[in-house]
Amino acid sequence: MCGRTACTLAPDEVSRACLYRNRTGRRRQPRWRDGDADKYKPSYNKSPQSQSPVLLSQRHFDKNAPADECVLASMRWGLVPAWFRENDPNKMQYSTSNCRSENMLSKKSYKGPMIKGQRCVILADGFYEWKRQDKEKQPFFIYFPQSETVSEDKFKAQDNSEWTGWKLLTIAGLFDCWTPPSGGEPLYTYSVITVNASPNLQSIHHRMPAILDGEEEVRKWLDFGEVKSVDAMKLLQSKDILTFHPVSSLVNNSRNNSSDCVQPMDLNSKKEPKPTAGSKMMMSWLKSSTPTKRKEPETNEKNEESTKKLCKSPGALKQWLQGANKAPKSIYCIVRHEETGEIKQST
């Protein structure tokens, strides 16, 4: 399962962090689809129905574009199939935030997008997973191994040069485009593909997102013109390539959105954070980045007015990192998962 992620990069940083290679091996920097950079909001605590950065083939928007040319888009988490007939996407009775790789072709919601080549790559700093311990659940932050140090000058890299900041996870996904039957703007949504957990993650949870390892796997997954669905599905394997650390239960509430969500903690004391190479690199990067070029993560992505005020204040990112936000009351909803039929409570 994958029910919470983090993506704290600003739009221009996301573009630089996901350079890709086309069929000829040429390195390219994807641009944002018109207007989508403004829809995406950085966050330490993204939950389903939030907007996330997604990499996909430009041909999905322009039939004359090469299939191996990629573009960045902001899509809502939780796939709404094109055939859904209600005018309100929130009336979906099943959770489609995840789809199991082994069931994709037997589920109506995912079979169509897979056959049509509607494959995408979800980008994230990492994802959260909960390990059941007695009567409690301990959250963990899971991500690609990172370099130990980063110098401030490295963030001044030019277009198409090597990105030396936080290495983003590249997660395989499917997307669809839904238009309200009564008319209106089309809505692009996605689902995270999951596989059996890798050996080092099995103690936390039995499932994990399907990770695409390296530029070549990303290229093959996105190039639906050259790589057919049956071959693309071979990329969906458990990969023992991720690292993790325990984090605070602050992340349990999706309204909590600060760097405290990703800070490592010592499970023995549960007081003092225990830094790792990856966490040191993350905090070094956040502090050295230029605040004026970064978008401030929101406490609530739907509260646009308060976000504008926060971004206009001087030193907003610094204040965010140093301050501790009080956790508001939780809001719960009941959802039924399409794959398992399980009914559960979520925030």
Side-chain angles (χ1 to χ4, degrees), residues 135-263:
K135 296 182 179 181
E136 298 182 352
K137 288 186 177 181
Q138 171 61 49
F140 288 82
F141 186 58
I142 305 170
Y143 49 98
F144 273 140
Q146 306 290 321
S147 301
E148 290 190 18
T149 58
V150 156
S151 117
E152 184 174 355
D153 291 338
K154 291 183 180 180
F155 296 106
K156 299 178 181 178
Q158 300 299 315
D159 290 353
N160 296 340
S161 62
E162 191 73 24
W163 169 254
T164 54
W166 186 263
K167 183 180 179 182
L168 293 177
L169 279 184
T170 42
I171 302 171
L174 293 175
F175 77 92
D176 210 344
C177 178
W178 170 82
T179 302
S182 61
E185 290 294 321
L187 175 67
Y188 284 88
T189 58
Y190 71 88
S191 181
V192 171
I193 299 174
T194 66
V195 295
N196 289 325
S198 59
N200 70 325
L201 297 180
Q202 287 176 355
S203 63
I204 299 176
H205 198 276
H206 66 285
R207 303 289 294 183
M208 67 178 288
I211 304 298
L212 299 168
D213 185 18
E215 294 176 340
E216 185 61 14
E217 287 199 3
V218 169
R219 185 194 70 79
K220 288 181 177 179
W221 180 252
L222 295 181
D223 191 352
F224 67 96
E226 180 181 79
V227 183
K228 302 305 179 184
S229 297
V230 63
D231 295 318
M233 290 182 66
K234 297 176 182 178
L235 299 171
L236 307 176
Q237 305 293 331
S238 299
K239 299 183 176 76
D240 204 359
I241 55 176
L242 303 181
T243 188
F244 58 88
H245 60 252
V247 293
S248 166
S249 59
L250 279 172
V251 76
N252 293 0
N253 189 327
S254 60
R255 290 194 173 196
N256 292 332
N257 180 17
S258 75
S259 60
D260 290 336
C261 291
V262 297
Q263 283 280 12

Side-chain angles (χ1 to χ4, degrees), residues 5 45-52 75-78 190 301:
T5 65
N45 197 355
K46 283 187 171 293
S47 58
Q49 297 192 17
S50 64
Q51 296 281 330
S52 296
M75 293 191 186
R76 197 178 89 156
W77 188 359
Y190 71 88
E301 292 194 17

Side-chain angles (χ1 to χ4, degrees), residues 326-337:
K326 294 182 179 180
K329 295 182 179 179
S330 301
I331 296 178
Y332 299 94
C333 62
I334 304 297
V335 296
R336 176 183 293 170
H337 199 281

